[in-house]
Amino acid sequence: MASSAIETRPSAPVDESGFVRLNDEEWAQFLRAARPMVRLRPNQHDANRIFVEAALTVMTGRRHWMQLPRERFGKWLHLHHRYSRWLERGIWSALAVEQAFGPELSRQVIEYSQRCQTRLEHQRRRRRARLLASDD
């Protein structure tokens, strides 16, 4: 089944607009798993939840970063930078291993994180090779 759209899975908790939306129980489960790994400021509870739901929306293949509505999620580039920092530190994979998002969503997060890590490593190798080639 070839498609130009991103593959989606029906089991992610989504709202009527097609964005991942964690209910209060799922959010509490995420917080229990995340607190030992990441400093989440209590006064930014809403911003943290918006960020996690935006990242999960992208990681489950429902939207690309630039397709996230600014009025709901804020600037996509800020979200992407924060997502990337968590990716580089291994936070997304660690949260998924802890089943912070439930079994199906956690599996999708692991797959997406692995693809992104592979792409980042490939980009770094190419960049390094170009730098070494330019030194000659």
Side-chain angles (χ1 to χ4, degrees):
M1 177 174 90
S3 172
S4 62
I6 298 173
E7 180 184 342
T8 60
R9 306 241 197 271
S11 59
V14 296
D15 64 11
E16 63 281 350
S17 304
F19 298 100
V20 171
R21 181 92 176 167
L22 301 176
N23 64 34
D24 291 338
E25 182 181 315
E26 292 165 329
W27 179 246
Q29 179 181 347
F30 166 78
L31 288 175
R32 281 191 299 277
R35 281 200 177 109
M37 298 177 213
V38 164
R39 189 175 84 192
L40 297 172
R41 296 185 179 117
N43 62 337
Q44 294 182 346
H45 176 79
D46 290 341
N48 291 328
R49 191 168 185 162
I50 288 169
F51 162 66
V52 170
E53 289 176 350
L56 290 174
T57 296
V58 172
M59 287 189 278
T60 57
R62 299 189 176 285
R63 299 282 191 281
H64 292 284
W65 289 104
M66 291 187 294
Q67 293 175 321
L68 297 172
R70 186 176 187 160
E71 60 278 358
R72 178 171 178 178
F73 295 106
K75 294 181 179 179
W76 73 266
L77 193 56
H78 293 174
L79 296 168
H80 184 266
H81 284 302
R82 186 174 178 189
Y83 161 81
S84 297
R85 287 191 305 267
W86 282 31
L87 179 68
E88 288 177 10
R89 291 173 48 201
I91 292 170
W92 291 116
S93 296
L95 287 169
V97 167
E98 292 292 321
Q99 298 285 310
F101 314 109
E104 178 60 19
L105 206 49
S106 292
R107 184 189 63 74
Q108 292 176 29
V109 167
I110 288 172
E111 288 175 1
Y112 188 87
S113 297
Q114 288 172 341
R115 284 194 310 270
C116 287
Q117 284 286 16
T118 301
R119 189 171 44 243
L120 283 172
E121 289 168 10
H122 181 70
Q123 289 171 351
R124 287 181 186 129
R125 281 194 303 271
R126 282 194 347 238
R127 195 174 304 130
R128 188 171 192 277
R130 279 194 307 261
L131 287 171
L132 291 173
S134 68
D135 287 344
D136 294 340

